[in-house]
Amino acid sequence: MIAFMGWGLTALLAGCAPVGPDYHPPRPELPAAWSGAGAGGTANAGTAALETWWTLFDDPRLNGLIQRAIAANPDLKIAVARIQQARAQYRIATAALAPAVDVSGTYARTRRSENAGGSNAGTTQDLYQAGFDAGWELDIFGAARRSVEAAGARLAATAEDRRDVLVSLEAEVARNYLELRGSQQRLQTARENVGIQDRTLYLARGRQDSGLGNRLEVVQAETQLALTRAQLPPLENSAGAAIYGLSLLLGLPPRTLEKELAPGAPLPARPAWLPETLPSDLLRRRPDIRRAERQLAASTADIGVATADLFPRFSLTGLLGLQSASLGDLISAGSRYWTVGPTVSWSLFDAGRARANIDLNRGRQEEAQVAYEKTVLAALGEVESALLGLSRETETFRSLADAVRSGQRAVELASGRYRAGISDILSLLQSQTALYLSQDQLIQSEQRLAFYQVALFKALGGGWEIDRDESTISSRPSANTLVGLQPIPTGEVNQ
């Protein structure tokens, strides 16, 4: 009979739709293509390259640093711990769907008062009791099911939190590494110019000693040399700060990586092409958008949980046990007792608490909806900003490359004229200064191009692997549109 009732109630619950709104994933309006996608070019890297985008820089040291950061970064470990907590919360919510069964056993020895009167006055009695009791709140109106739905959505959102931390971590390691190599390359260029200007000062002193020059030329050369030497400490500080930053990202004390990374190296070769992608791909690739969508789903389910408080609660309770004044008779048939029956509870008056709770959760859902839309807009803006930065910085890079070539020729001409006594040292110093500044700015421009590429890979949601069988949040167009830039110039100038 009890089994029959259980099966019948299970069938009844299966046929009862939970109260509250059913969740439908949002479908935001997105542009068909990126505004920077009209510059032409042909992609040779598919979207799969986004999963390990840093390998496109072809730098084994960078690859190793990112892998070590993934294994040891504290923020990533915190995110993993939060996933474990969310899984436990999901199990707690799921447990509410099942009956609860408890077992208990008691022993009591009592003595009645002699002054209480009656035949049992002054007697002592033992009482042994053991049994099971069970309770099951029937989820007629879906409060428990909506709770499970909300907990599952929050678990998924927590998993997206970890992915978001992962994407940011990989980009931050790459940025610090590029900052380090750029500072080291600028430092090397500054030291080379110090050497050149030191030789120019030696030449000016020699000309003064031979009577071909004067003291003013020597002072001018000394001044320029001192100004260039003053550029070294800030660059050394920048390189050191980048090493400290990388150490912390890897979960290490600040100076741990000094010996490993202090030897100078140039900026890694930048990827010449960018992967194909569409604005709609952000809904599938960006962890922050995916997290916001799951948070919206959870807040929608919370409305159902709150709505269920307007309806009665039905429960089945049962008790089966043994009770005897003698331990020897405890397991006999006569010691058995049981009770079973349904209970109903319904709050007839709560001063509007239940409806206020529904309004509260509706407000939270509206907030989550706006937060989702804001996240999508921010993601679009990040991609477009990175594309614009790449496009404009590419033009800057080309102009600076021309300036360096012209500056090298100017230094050669000015040096020859000075040695021949045709012009004074000021022209040579000005040419050397202009060349050094253009070389330094060219390195910074190349560094910024790499920064923009890292920012673009991050903005596109690169850095983690999507399950190929995973269902997408929104329908994805069948055609791809290139994120579109002309090939980025590399190696145009011998620095």
Side-chain angles (χ1 to χ4, degrees):
M1 180 66 179
I2 295 177
F4 177 77
M5 291 177 60
W7 282 107
L9 290 170
T10 302
L12 175 63
L13 292 178
C16 293
V19 296
D22 292 327
Y23 176 70
H24 300 285
R27 295 183 179 275
E29 293 185 7
L30 298 173
W34 302 110
S35 61
T42 304
N44 60 4
T47 54
L50 280 172
E51 296 170 3
T52 54
W53 55 262
W54 57 88
T55 61
L56 299 176
F57 286 89
D58 195 24
D59 189 310
R61 181 76 68 184
L62 174 60
N63 297 343
L65 289 171
I66 288 182
Q67 293 303 319
R68 290 159 66 183
I70 292 173
N73 180 260
D75 290 331
L76 204 54
K77 292 180 178 179
I78 291 172
V80 171
R82 287 174 178 167
I83 291 177
Q84 295 173 346
Q85 298 170 40
R87 284 176 178 160
Q89 291 289 346
Y90 179 76
R91 293 198 304 270
I92 291 171
T94 304
L97 293 172
V101 180
D102 298 320
V103 61
S104 63
T106 61
Y107 163 72
R109 183 174 178 82
T110 60
R111 180 183 184 280
R112 291 181 61 84
S113 171
E114 295 180 359
N115 298 326
S119 60
N120 294 326
T123 62
T124 301
Q125 184 180 13
D126 294 326
L127 180 65
Y128 299 89
Q129 183 171 317
F132 297 88
D133 62 272
W136 185 18
E137 182 175 341
L138 307 180
D139 193 32
I140 301 295
F141 299 103
R145 281 171 285 170
R146 291 298 193 194
S147 294
V148 171
E149 184 181 336
R154 290 193 172 92
L155 171 57
T158 308
E160 299 302 339
D161 272 333
R162 178 196 171 274
R163 290 169 174 167
D164 197 26
V165 172
L166 177 63
V167 168
S168 298
L169 171 64
E170 292 160 348
E172 197 62 24
V173 171
R175 280 186 59 84
N176 277 266
Y177 184 77
L178 293 170
E179 179 69 37
L180 169 64
R181 294 314 188 197
S183 297
Q184 289 176 335
Q185 193 168 342
R186 291 177 64 196
L187 186 60
Q188 178 64 27
T189 301
R191 286 170 175 164
E192 291 174 357
N193 276 272
V194 166
I196 293 173
Q197 292 171 11
D198 189 54
R199 290 192 293 271
T200 300
L201 174 60
Y202 177 80
L203 178 61
R205 286 171 175 167
R207 286 174 59 86
Q208 180 188 18
D209 293 341
S210 64
L212 298 176
N214 54 60
R215 177 61 182 166
L216 176 60
E217 291 183 339
V218 174
V219 173
Q220 290 173 328
E222 289 174 343
T223 301
Q224 189 57 53
L225 177 60
L227 289 173
T228 304
R229 280 177 174 162
Q231 303 299 314
L232 300 181
L235 293 174
E236 292 170 345
N237 179 68
S238 178
I243 292 176
Y244 297 163
L246 285 168
S247 298
L248 295 176
L249 289 170
L250 269 63
L252 301 170
R255 306 190 65 173
T256 306
L257 298 177
E258 271 191 332
K259 290 184 179 179
E260 179 181 345
L261 298 177
L267 283 163
R270 291 172 287 103
W273 302 100
L274 302 174
E276 298 176 354
T277 185
L278 286 170
S280 58
D281 288 327
L282 294 185
L283 304 182
R284 187 172 63 100
R285 288 219 59 95
R286 290 267 305 215
D288 56 342
I289 295 179
R290 293 163 62 99
R291 177 184 62 225
E293 185 273 335
R294 289 290 82 201
Q295 289 172 339
L296 176 58
S299 63
T300 303
D302 286 339
I303 297 175
V305 177
T307 304
D309 288 340
L310 296 175
F311 299 90
R313 296 177 178 271
F314 299 89
S315 300
L316 283 179
T317 59
L319 178 64
L320 173 64
L322 301 169
Q323 191 178 66
S324 175
S326 172
L327 182 61
D329 295 332
L330 182 62
I331 60 174
S332 65
S335 297
R336 290 179 295 179
Y337 69 94
W338 60 269
T339 180
V340 63
T343 61
V344 179
S345 63
W346 194 359
S347 178
L348 296 180
F349 178 76
D350 62 1
R353 181 196 61 82
R355 294 193 179 277
N357 192 33
I358 294 173
D359 292 339
L360 172 64
N361 284 281
R362 288 192 184 278
R364 289 173 176 169
Q365 185 206 35
E366 292 175 5
E367 179 185 354
Q369 176 70 41
V370 175
Y372 173 81
E373 295 168 356
K374 178 182 176 181
T375 303
V376 172
L377 289 176
L380 292 172
E382 288 178 15
V383 176
E384 294 288 8
S385 295
L387 286 171
L388 180 62
L390 270 173
S391 177
R392 296 298 177 263
E393 195 61 44
T394 298
E395 298 174 7
T396 301
F397 182 88
R398 287 175 173 147
S399 297
L400 288 171
D402 293 338
V404 169
R405 282 190 290 266
S406 298
Q408 290 171 338
R409 182 59 179 158
V411 169
E412 292 173 2
L413 293 173
S415 178
R417 290 173 62 85
Y418 178 67
R419 291 175 182 275
I422 300 175
S423 63
D424 59 16
I425 198 172
L426 184 60
S427 297
L428 176 58
L429 293 176
Q430 289 175 337
S431 297
Q432 289 176 341
T433 300
L435 175 59
Y436 167 64
L437 290 177
S438 60
Q439 287 174 329
D440 187 65
Q441 291 176 16
L442 181 65
I443 296 172
Q444 292 182 67
S445 179
E446 186 175 15
Q447 187 181 50
R448 286 194 296 271
L449 279 172
F451 284 161
Y452 280 125
Q453 285 186 307
V454 171
L456 180 59
F457 288 129
K458 178 178 180 290
L460 292 174
W464 63 282
E465 184 176 354
I466 295 180
D467 186 353
R468 301 307 179 189
D469 297 328
E470 183 182 81
S471 59
T472 58
I473 296 175
S474 63
S475 59
R476 182 184 180 193
S478 58
N480 280 336
T481 303
L482 176 65
V483 166
L485 288 174
Q486 294 285 356
I488 298 173
T490 55
E492 294 188 5
V493 179
N494 181 12
Q495 299 177 33

